């Protein structure tokens, strides 16, 4: 009988101990996992801040390099226009075109003045019909002059804009490679009408630019 009772009570005695042992093992496992997680988070934070520090350091180095290499220069626009062969040829061509247009207008105006002079000389002896015809001719000549003057002015402005744009484009194309080779970040065109109140002559590259532009233009003409 006692053996039977002992057999019945034995599981009741052993089970709590077993659960206690399992619980203790689980606590050890959880503790170990927590320690591992804490270490992992610490390592991640370390690498994160280390990466940020390195990244900030690289950014500072890059900014410092840019600041040290931030070179600026300028050229005197008036001097370039005076010595750049291509610009002088363009200017001469525009002057010729302007002279031709002025000559056309002068011819129309001369015809008008001659007709007006003739009208004044014959006005007293002309019939009413002749006077009306003369007056109509004078109005026609005057209208022709005004219309032609407006037309030639528009054509001249368009031609001037086109030619000046060609000059500007040549200079810009040249400066792209020139600044890349010399390390310039900006090159300004200075003149008496600009807002540059002070210019360091050390950064004046007018002479070098003019020489190189003329060499380039001379080579381009030979290639044609």
């Amino acid at each position: 009988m006692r053996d039977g009772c002992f057999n019945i009570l034995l599981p009741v005695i052993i089970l709590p101990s077993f659960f206690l042992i399992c619980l203790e093992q689980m606590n050890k496992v959880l503790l170990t996992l927590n320690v591992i997680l804490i270490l992992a988070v610490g390592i991640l934070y370390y690498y994160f801040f280390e990466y940020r520090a390195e990244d900030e350091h690289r950014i500072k180095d890059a900014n410092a390099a840019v600041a040290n290499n931030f070179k600026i220069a300028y050229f005197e626009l008036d001097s370039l226009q005076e010595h750049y062969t291509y610009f002088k040829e363009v200017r001469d061509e525009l002057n010729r075109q302007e002279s031709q247009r002025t000559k056309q207008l002068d011819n129309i105006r001369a015809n008008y003045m001659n007709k007006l002079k003739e009208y004044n000389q014959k006005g007293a002896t002309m019939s009413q019909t002749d006077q009306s015809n003369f007056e109509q001719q004078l109005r026609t000549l005057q209208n022709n002059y005004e219309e032609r003057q407006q037309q030639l002015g528009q054509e001249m402005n368009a031609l001037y804009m086109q030619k000046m744009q060609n000059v500007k484009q040549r200079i810009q194309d040249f400066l792209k490679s020139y600044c890349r080779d010399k390390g310039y970040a900006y090159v300004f065109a200075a003149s008496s009408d600009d807002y540059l109140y002070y210019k360091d002559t050390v950064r004046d590259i007018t002479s070098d630019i003019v020489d190189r532009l003329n060499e380039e233009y001379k080579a381009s003409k030979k290639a044609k």
Side-chain angles (χ1 to χ4, degrees):
M1 179 68 181
R2 289 181 180 178
D3 293 338
C5 291
F6 180 77
N7 292 334
I8 294 172
L9 294 174
L10 183 61
V12 177
I13 296 172
I14 294 175
L15 281 175
S17 300
F18 176 75
F19 283 124
L20 289 174
I21 293 171
C22 291
L23 183 60
E24 184 178 355
Q25 294 295 328
M26 289 178 64
N27 287 335
K28 289 181 179 180
V29 172
L30 290 175
L31 179 61
T32 303
L33 290 175
N34 286 334
V35 171
I36 293 173
L37 287 174
I38 292 172
L39 290 175
V41 171
I43 292 171
L44 288 175
Y45 268 102
Y46 171 78
Y47 281 113
F48 173 72
F49 287 110
E50 183 72 14
Y51 173 79
R52 285 192 60 184
E54 291 180 0
D55 190 48
E56 290 176 358
H57 182 69
R58 285 195 297 269
I59 292 174
K60 289 180 179 179
D61 289 343
N63 291 336
V66 170
N68 292 332
N69 293 326
F70 191 77
K71 297 174 61 177
I72 297 177
Y74 72 91
F75 63 90
E76 295 288 352
L77 184 60
D78 295 338
S79 180
L80 182 141
Q81 292 174 349
E82 187 65 28
H83 299 97
Y84 182 23
T85 304
Y86 177 62
F87 181 87
K88 291 191 293 183
E89 291 181 359
V90 167
R91 183 179 56 197
D92 292 342
E93 180 183 353
L94 290 173
N95 288 336
R96 287 193 298 271
Q97 294 286 343
E98 180 66 24
S99 296
Q100 292 176 5
R101 285 165 170 75
T102 301
K103 187 176 181 179
Q104 292 183 38
L105 291 175
D106 288 344
N107 290 335
I108 298 175
R109 183 170 181 81
N111 291 334
Y112 172 82
M113 296 303 297
N114 290 334
K115 184 63 70 173
L116 179 62
K117 183 178 179 180
E118 182 181 357
Y119 174 77
N120 291 332
Q121 290 174 348
K122 297 180 179 180
T125 61
M126 286 190 299
S127 64
Q128 187 67 34
T129 302
D130 290 337
Q131 287 183 359
S132 298
N133 290 337
F134 255 93
E135 291 172 358
Q136 181 61 40
Q137 292 175 20
L138 287 172
R139 284 193 294 270
T140 300
L141 287 173
Q142 185 175 6
N143 291 336
N144 289 343
Y145 177 85
E146 293 174 354
E147 291 175 0
R148 191 59 177 159
Q149 184 182 40
Q150 183 178 4
Q151 179 184 358
L152 293 177
Q154 292 174 349
E155 291 177 356
M156 193 64 202
N157 288 336
L159 181 63
Y160 178 86
M161 294 297 295
Q162 177 190 347
K163 293 296 183 180
M164 288 300 101
Q165 181 60 36
N166 292 342
V167 173
K168 181 180 179 181
Q169 190 64 51
R170 271 184 173 270
I171 296 173
Q172 287 180 329
D173 291 342
F174 164 78
L175 286 176
K176 288 178 183 179
S177 58
Y178 180 87
C179 292
R180 184 174 59 250
D181 296 338
K182 297 291 185 178
Y184 290 115
Y186 289 95
V187 172
F188 297 95
S191 70
S192 57
D193 298 326
D194 60 32
Y195 293 97
L196 294 177
Y197 293 101
Y198 174 76
K199 296 174 290 187
D200 185 351
T201 56
V202 174
R203 291 168 174 78
D204 184 358
I205 58 174
T206 307
S207 179
D208 190 31
I209 284 183
V210 170
D211 291 342
R212 291 171 181 263
L213 280 170
N214 284 333
E215 291 174 2
E216 183 183 65
Y217 180 59
K218 184 177 179 180
S220 67
K221 292 184 71 174
K222 286 182 178 180
K224 291 182 179 179

